[in-house]
Amino acid sequence: MLYINGEWRHSLSGNTLDIYNPATGEKISNVAYCGKEETREAIEKAHDAFQTWKQTTGQERAQLLKKVADLIRENGEEIAQTITKEMGKPITEARREIISGSNYVEWFAEEAKRIYGETIPAPQIDKHLMLVQQPIGVVGAITPWNYPLSMVTRKIAPALAAGCTVVLKPAPSTPLTAIKVFECFYKAGLPKGVVNLVIGPAEEIGAELTSNPLVRKITFTGSTTVGKKLIRDSADTVKKISMELGGHAPFIVFEDANMDAAVEGAISTKFVNNGQTCICTNRIYVAEEIAEEFGEKLAAKALQLIVGNGLNESTQVGPLINEQALKKVDSHVKDAIAHNGEILCGGERMEFSNLNGCFYKPTVINHANDRMKIAQEETFGPVVPIFTFKSEGEVIEKANNTNYGLAAYCYTSDLGRGLRMMRELDYGIVGINDPAPIVTQSPFGGLKESGIGKEGGKQGIQEYLEKKFVSILIG
Ligand code: ADP
């Protein structure tokens, strides 16, 4: 169903979209599928709702958001099952997403009370200067399928906390989780029009969101290609934008690193969400003298990962989102082999007699080199190449040799080296001996073509506020 102006709706055309479970290939549901007209109506209703929502206090908005966070937690198991059924991740990871997704809502409920302004010292005694912060207006939010709950809450919660209203377009493969989140908004009693949900063809809805002058802000998570298009399309109406785009994370292991911790870290940063995360490790760089040992240990651990239907409690790696994703992963592996890569484990599709899904064996490729596609393109799957390096300077140069700049990881027991890496790596997120840097408090965002702006942390709400300068002549 769509959710527009506080009502659950069918599309005007009556069209629906079938939703499939990527682990089994089975159809699990169908949802209303709308277009430009419903999107325009949702924007107009969000604009009407903004006139009163912006007048509420931070305290009032905080109370409603706190209720939303509680409702997500109360319905957590049902939402987690929905996440796993529609996009495949292991149920244990889906449960972790319930925690992170609801934590974002609680965090921004608290931040709603902390939207401060500034008093600016005036150059003359008869003036009083101030900077006030105000909500920007209607927000168009476009989210991906890989974190169908937390990508939605990490955008909508700060927008609402700031006093903005929202029209959300979730990814077409994961609308069911978005609907569950909107049920929480509905039950929490958010005023009508404050949040709106449209599901339909990306280009058509995207065109309306980016061209409609009532939308003052576009927030997007997804591929760099689509992000660039949205930036271009938003230019005519000069919208504020925030973009969380692709990544190509280097994972650097120095000779002085704790080898076992680095192997564990590589496993978790690579195979979480089956490699379908923009901060997933894409390239491992290991100091030459320890590379063979590291590769053996990593492949041994990767072989132990339990692949299967995410609904099984023991599953550690689920299916890829669809056949097209599997083909891309396989093409990167074949290309790596053609460029002299050595497969240490995996390297092919995984078949199950009882599952008709898109499974791929966790794969480690040794002797990687820069001629391979995988050295530059985002694989978005359970495949990792190992490169070697001789010096710190060389690995910094190689790690930074990409247009992406989202996340980088580095393992070393030398504090000075860790700090040098922090300074030199051109990435918005750097984990030093830490495979899981992202928490609610962290400002998440990329440099270069990985994005613009931050989500999460105290910075997250700033994306939805405008600063207004006021000068008062006292006389
Ligand atoms: P992915 O390859 O991970 O699906 P995309 O960037 O294609 O990444 O998709 C991320 C989100 O962007 C999804 O909600 C998708 O429907 C949406 N999207 C894709 N193309 C467009 C477009 N031209 N305009 C607006 N949204 C789009």
Side-chain angles (χ1 to χ4, degrees):
M1 297 286 258
L2 316 170
Y3 187 70
I4 298 172
N5 202 28
E7 283 169 13
W8 294 100
R9 299 255 201 100
H10 291 289
S11 59
L12 292 171
S13 64
N15 286 350
T16 59
L17 175 72
D18 292 340
I19 310 299
Y20 294 89
N21 179 336
T24 60
E26 286 162 3
K27 179 177 154 187
I28 47 175
S29 186
N30 65 358
V31 296
Y33 198 63
C34 73
K36 192 167 66 179
E37 259 181 87
E38 293 90 335
T39 307
R40 187 171 299 161
E41 187 190 345
I43 293 168
E44 285 165 3
K45 297 300 180 193
H47 185 253
D48 292 346
F50 178 61
Q51 310 315 317
T52 42
W53 183 245
K54 70 179 179 184
Q55 308 286 358
T56 55
T57 63
Q59 194 77 25
E60 288 166 308
R61 297 194 296 277
Q63 277 168 6
L64 284 169
L65 283 169
K66 181 70 177 50
K67 272 193 207 165
V68 174
D70 291 343
L71 283 160
I72 293 174
R73 289 171 187 148
E74 280 163 28
N75 296 283
E77 185 56 27
E78 191 188 324
I79 303 175
Q81 299 270 337
T82 305
I83 292 173
T84 295
K85 279 185 202 149
E86 70 178 342
M87 63 70 63
K89 72 174 64 177
I91 187 72
T92 45
E93 287 184 26
R95 289 185 189 127
R96 285 209 291 276
E97 194 176 336
I98 301 299
I99 297 171
S100 62
S102 59
N103 282 352
Y104 282 120
V105 184
E106 185 179 293
W107 172 267
F108 285 113
E110 290 156 355
E111 289 298 293
K113 296 177 268 182
R114 302 192 184 107
I115 302 170
Y116 296 102
E118 276 180 48
T119 303
I120 299 170
Q124 57 193 74
I125 201 66
D126 61 348
K127 277 197 173 194
H128 185 84
L129 311 183
M130 291 183 299
L131 199 64
V132 291
Q133 297 205 87
Q134 296 187 330
I136 189 157
V138 177
V139 174
I142 301 176
T143 51
W145 49 265
N146 59 348
Y147 286 86
L149 170 68
S150 61
M151 292 302 101
V152 168
T153 58
R154 203 165 72 179
K155 291 184 187 316
I156 296 186
L160 299 187
C164 295
T165 55
V166 180
V167 178
L168 172 75
K169 189 204 90 60
S173 37
T174 56
L176 301 178
T177 306
I179 290 171
K180 294 264 176 237
V181 178
F182 272 70
E183 281 168 5
C184 296
F185 288 138
Y186 173 74
K187 284 187 203 148
L190 281 177
K192 66 179 188 170
V194 167
V195 283
N196 303 274
L197 172 66
V198 290
I199 301 162
E203 295 226 354
E204 186 177 331
I205 293 182
E208 183 61 34
L209 287 173
T210 49
S211 65
N212 193 314
L214 295 180
V215 175
R216 295 310 315 143
K217 155 105 193 173
I218 292 285
T219 173
F220 170 74
T221 299
S223 61
T224 297
T225 312
V226 173
K228 286 179 181 176
K229 176 173 165 43
L230 296 175
I231 294 171
R232 279 193 293 270
D233 293 353
S234 299
D236 280 344
T237 45
V238 192
K239 298 188 201 310
K240 191 174 164 108
I241 46 167
S242 43
M243 297 276 142
E244 299 294 347
L245 309 177
H248 207 272
F251 184 103
I252 302 165
V253 187
F254 285 100
E255 66 284 357
D256 57 26
N258 174 332
M259 166 88 74
D260 291 336
V263 169
E264 282 297 338
I267 289 284
S268 65
T269 57
K270 176 70 259 185
F271 297 105
V272 66
N273 214 17
N274 203 8
Q276 302 172 114
T277 300
C278 43
I279 59 167
C280 267
T281 287
N282 282 263
R283 292 167 285 154
I284 298 184
Y285 291 101
V286 187
E288 211 171 49
E289 55 268 50
I290 59 164
E292 283 307 307
E293 185 189 349
F294 182 89
E296 280 165 25
K297 287 191 165 175
L298 185 68
K301 286 260 176 210
L303 268 174
Q304 284 167 12
L305 292 169
I306 302 168
V307 182
N309 187 337
L311 287 177
N312 297 338
E313 293 288 333
S314 57
T315 295
Q316 293 169 298
V317 177
L320 287 156
I321 186 71
N322 55 34
E323 206 54 45
Q324 200 189 342
L326 190 134
K327 280 200 183 106
K328 180 176 186 194
V329 167
D330 197 47
S331 77
H332 276 194
V333 171
K334 294 220 163 78
D335 171 79
I337 295 170
H339 289 93
N340 303 328
E342 179 197 1
I343 302 291
L344 292 183
C345 65
E348 59 184 0
R349 189 181 188 129
M350 196 160 180
E351 308 277 358
F352 293 90
S353 56
N354 58 341
L355 297 172
N356 188 23
C358 307
F359 295 93
Y360 204 84
K361 290 183 182 169
T363 301
V364 179
I365 301 171
N366 214 3
H367 309 311
N369 57 62
D370 290 341
R371 286 170 296 131
M372 297 174 174
K373 272 190 202 159
I374 203 165
Q376 287 295 329
E377 291 178 23
E378 208 178 1
T379 309
F380 236 60
V383 179
V384 68
I386 301 178
F387 302 76
T388 59
F389 66 90
K390 287 188 174 52
S391 69
E392 196 178 302
E394 180 196 350
V395 79
I396 289 170
E397 196 187 320
K398 284 188 164 172
N400 287 339
N401 183 23
T402 166
N403 291 335
Y404 291 117
L406 189 53
Y409 306 90
C410 165
Y411 278 71
T412 176
S413 53
D414 177 339
L415 178 62
R417 175 175 262 166
L419 289 171
R420 288 196 294 279
M421 297 305 284
M422 174 197 86
R423 287 185 188 168
E424 297 299 327
L425 289 169
D426 295 335
Y427 289 83
I429 299 159
V430 179
I432 298 182
N433 297 324
D434 184 359
I438 302 309
V439 289
T440 322
Q441 292 80 349
S442 47
F444 185 109
L447 310 184
K448 291 156 69 179
E449 294 189 13
S450 283
I452 298 172
K454 302 288 179 201
E455 290 191 333
K458 71 172 184 179
Q459 292 79 2
I461 198 166
Q462 290 298 324
E463 300 289 333
Y464 301 93
L465 292 166
E466 288 199 291
K467 292 181 170 57
K468 187 182 280 179
F469 171 67
V470 187
S471 175
I472 303 168
L473 188 60
I474 299 171

